[in-house]
């Protein structure tokens, strides 16, 4: 799709462009993802009342996804502006994980649908409620891995970023409050995957051991 709209934002692997007042296009820079498969998962969970943006698969391709334009801050921005308390943000993430894992899988026998990157910068707080974005890592499997991934992401910030350490620690406490479906296997696999993630900085990989120790400190 030819894009003439302005650049709205950039992440580690993709850029988001304006199409019009209702739609945006996310273009993957690296070319390793599958936006059509991602969009199909989004449509599946949305059909089961999970809060995600609408997508236009007919106008999308493997590297470009056309989706609903959302208004409102990310959860991360809202915490920074004092609109939501850090622990409340963690509790909201936990609720979104529980709701997601209640959605029937697309393929029987493959576990549950996992987001695998659910953190405060991937939740938009719109006037109609939260919307979960960036499904590029989604797969089906054990929910414990999803919980482990979100916990490790928050814990890495809590032990490795002095400016936001307290905020991330409070968010982690909210995430891991009961009921929590984190498992030993899920935590171990989440740490392994984060260590192998090519978008991780050397510092982010370096603190993984301390991050795991912090997570365990919150567990019963």
């Amino acid at each position: 799709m030819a894009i003439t709209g302005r650049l709205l934002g950039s992440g580690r692997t993709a850029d988001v462009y304006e199409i019009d007042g209702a739609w945006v296009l996310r273009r993957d820079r690296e070319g390793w993802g599958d936006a059509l498969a991602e969009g199909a998962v989004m449509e599946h969970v949305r059909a089961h009342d999970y809060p995600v943006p609408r997508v236009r698969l007919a106008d999308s391709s493997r590297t470009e996804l056309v989706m609903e334009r959302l208004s409102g801050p990310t959860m991360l921005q809202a915490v920074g502006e004092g609109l939501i308390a850090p622990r409340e943000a963690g509790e909201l993430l936990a609720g979104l994980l529980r709701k997601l894992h209640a959605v029937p899988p697309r393929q029987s026998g493959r576990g549950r649908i996992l987001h695998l990157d659910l953190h405060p910068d991937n939740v938009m707080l719109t006037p109609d409620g939260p919307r979960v974005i960036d499904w590029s890592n989604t797969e089906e499997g054990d929910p414990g891995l999803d919980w482990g991934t979100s916990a490790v992401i928050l814990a890495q910030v809590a032990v490795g970023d002095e400016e936001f350490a307290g905020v991330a620690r409070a968010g982690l406490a909210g995430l891991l409050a009961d009921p929590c479906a984190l498992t030993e296997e899920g935590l171990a696999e989440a740490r392994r995957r984060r260590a192998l993630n090519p978008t991780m900085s050397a510092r982010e990989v370096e603190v993984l051991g301390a991050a795991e120790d912090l997570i365990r400190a919150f567990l019963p």
Side-chain angles (χ1 to χ4, degrees):
M1 171 180 287
I3 291 298
T4 57
R6 63 191 174 96
L7 178 68
L8 297 176
S10 296
R12 293 195 185 203
T13 62
D15 303 306
V16 177
Y17 295 90
E18 178 182 60
I19 295 177
D20 54 34
W23 299 93
V24 297
L25 180 138
R26 193 204 66 203
R27 175 176 291 152
D28 295 333
R29 291 192 305 273
E30 307 299 328
W32 55 266
D34 187 340
L36 287 174
E38 179 182 348
V41 172
M42 293 171 68
E43 284 292 272
H44 174 77
V45 298
R46 193 173 73 85
H48 289 84
D49 297 320
Y50 194 76
V52 296
R54 292 174 294 148
V55 299
R56 291 189 347 217
L57 290 178
D59 297 323
S60 302
S61 68
R62 190 184 66 80
T63 58
E64 297 183 339
L65 183 63
V66 176
M67 57 185 174
E68 179 184 5
R69 185 171 184 171
L70 303 176
S71 63
T74 66
M75 182 188 290
L76 182 62
Q77 292 169 332
V79 169
E81 295 170 7
L83 301 175
I84 181 174
R87 185 181 177 97
E88 183 184 354
E91 292 169 350
L92 178 56
L93 287 177
L96 289 168
L97 283 171
R98 287 191 290 269
K99 185 176 178 66
L100 175 60
H101 300 150
V103 173
R106 298 176 69 220
Q107 301 181 46
S108 61
R110 296 288 297 276
R112 313 307 292 183
I113 295 173
L114 312 180
H115 184 278
L116 297 180
D117 200 21
L118 188 56
H119 56 74
D121 213 23
N122 278 340
V123 179
M124 298 282 292
L125 300 182
T126 77
D128 297 320
R131 295 289 184 272
V132 178
I133 61 172
D134 195 352
W135 291 74
S136 57
N137 292 337
T138 185
E139 61 183 66
E140 294 187 10
D142 181 359
L145 175 57
D146 226 359
W147 284 87
T149 301
S150 293
V152 170
I153 291 171
L154 288 175
Q156 282 177 287
V157 178
V159 301
D161 188 324
E162 293 183 5
E163 182 179 359
F164 298 105
V167 169
R169 186 183 181 94
L172 183 64
L175 175 73
L176 297 180
D178 288 337
C180 168
L182 179 61
T183 62
E184 285 287 342
E185 295 80 5
L187 179 55
E189 179 64 8
R191 177 178 172 178
R192 186 190 72 82
R193 292 191 184 199
R194 291 292 283 179
L196 296 175
N197 189 327
T199 70
M200 292 290 96
S201 68
R203 175 59 178 163
E204 287 172 315
V205 174
E206 179 184 320
V207 302
L208 279 169
E212 182 175 347
D213 290 342
L214 178 61
I215 292 168
R216 292 186 183 281
F218 284 104
L219 299 177

